Amino acid sequence: MSDLLSPLDTPRRPAALTRHSLVLARRGLAKSVRDPGAIVNGVITPALFMVLFVYLFGGSVSGSTGDYLRYLFPGVLVMGAGLSGMLASGVSINVDRKKGVFDRFRSLPIGRSAPLWGSVLADVVRYAVAVALLFAIGYLMGFRVTTDLASAAAAAALAMGFGFALSWVMVFVGVLVRNESTVLAVAFIAFLPLLLGTSLAAPVDTLPGWLRAWAGINPATHAMDACRALLTGTAAGASITVTLAWSAGLVAVFCPLAVLAHTRER
């Protein structure tokens, strides 16, 4: 029986781990079709913010709703991908753990980290859907890309990459805590300062001093400024580089932590 493959052997075979992760990602997408709550949250909440902010404050802040929509939409795009990343995988993994699904996965000859990767890879598709829907809503409201198609695609990819990085933070939380209500509470507590304490609704230099200091170091601010530059042609500065560095750093820290916490769980 020594030639049988044990579950712990599989992570040493990258091709097998990739194949198993993709199969489990398809399972995650099937769950999303039956329960599209994460996509709905990732689209409806930012869309409501966009509609309310544009039509309530657009005239007073920018002089016209069109000008304010042009400023606001790139931030809403990051908000949509970020919100999806903060909700979907962490909750899904936590629910699967409570129901004993991960215990069944451990009995299979698959990599121990494959369920985590599968859930996060499914999130990438959810981000793409959320971003596409937000572009459609923004277009109906009057937003137009003023750069080019390549820059718009880069902005969408940057927002999705930032959401992907945030998803690993919530995967780590989902592995550690005991119930999904705690995951949702952590996501909500993080949502307010991370995605709203930014340049989303107004330029950073117009904010109060204490909030300006936080917004200046907030990775979501850099992501929003980077998408704004790519979509509307404003000065990018170092925002694109900083966003890529933050996204890579979050994945580099929280992906190994989540996998380690999951593989050590009994």
Side-chain angles (χ1 to χ4, degrees):
M1 300 296 289
S2 60
D3 58 337
L4 291 179
L5 179 66
S6 72
L8 293 179
D9 292 329
T10 311
R12 302 183 186 128
R13 299 171 55 191
L17 179 59
T18 301
R19 186 173 67 254
H20 300 153
S21 299
L22 291 174
V23 170
L24 293 173
R26 186 172 62 182
R27 169 184 175 269
L29 292 175
K31 289 171 60 180
S32 292
V33 172
R34 295 192 297 270
D35 182 17
I39 294 178
V40 171
N41 284 329
V43 174
I44 297 300
T45 302
L48 286 176
F49 269 96
M50 182 163 60
V51 171
L52 291 174
F53 276 51
V54 166
Y55 294 117
L56 286 177
F57 309 118
S60 61
V61 174
S62 296
S64 72
T65 56
D67 288 342
Y68 192 56
L69 177 63
R70 185 170 178 267
Y71 175 86
L72 183 68
F73 177 78
V76 168
L77 197 68
V78 174
M79 182 182 179
L83 186 59
S84 296
M86 291 169 68
L87 289 176
S89 280
V91 173
S92 176
I93 286 172
N94 192 271
V95 170
D96 280 347
R97 288 174 62 244
K98 283 182 61 178
K99 291 182 176 180
V101 176
F102 274 30
D103 293 333
R104 278 173 260 168
F105 287 154
R106 290 191 183 94
S107 68
L108 299 174
I110 63 174
R112 293 288 292 271
S113 63
L116 304 185
W117 278 104
S119 182
V120 173
L121 291 175
D123 276 351
V124 175
V125 179
R126 298 185 189 107
Y127 304 152
V129 173
V131 165
L133 290 175
L134 285 172
F135 264 110
I137 294 170
Y139 184 86
L140 292 175
M141 292 179 63
F143 176 80
R144 298 294 184 270
V145 176
T146 57
T147 51
D148 52 49
L149 184 60
S151 297
L158 199 67
M160 291 168 57
F162 186 66
F164 177 81
L166 290 180
S167 71
W168 277 110
V169 179
M170 297 312 299
V171 166
F172 179 56
V173 174
V175 172
L176 288 183
V177 303
R178 293 184 176 275
N179 56 73
E180 64 270 24
S181 61
T182 305
V183 180
L184 289 172
V186 172
F188 180 75
I189 292 170
F191 168 77
L192 292 176
L194 181 66
L195 296 178
L196 296 183
T198 61
S199 61
L200 170 68
V204 171
D205 56 10
T206 66
L207 302 177
W210 62 270
L211 186 55
R212 188 187 314 136
W214 163 246
I217 61 173
N218 189 339
T221 296
H222 297 290
M224 292 174 183
D225 289 345
C227 287
R228 194 170 289 120
L230 290 168
L231 291 173
T232 65
T234 58
S239 59
I240 296 176
T241 302
V242 173
T243 301
L244 293 174
W246 264 107
S247 299
L250 288 173
V251 174
V253 171
F254 286 97
C255 174
L257 286 176
V259 172
L260 181 63
H262 171 63
T263 54
R264 286 187 172 181
E265 184 182 22
R266 293 293 180 265

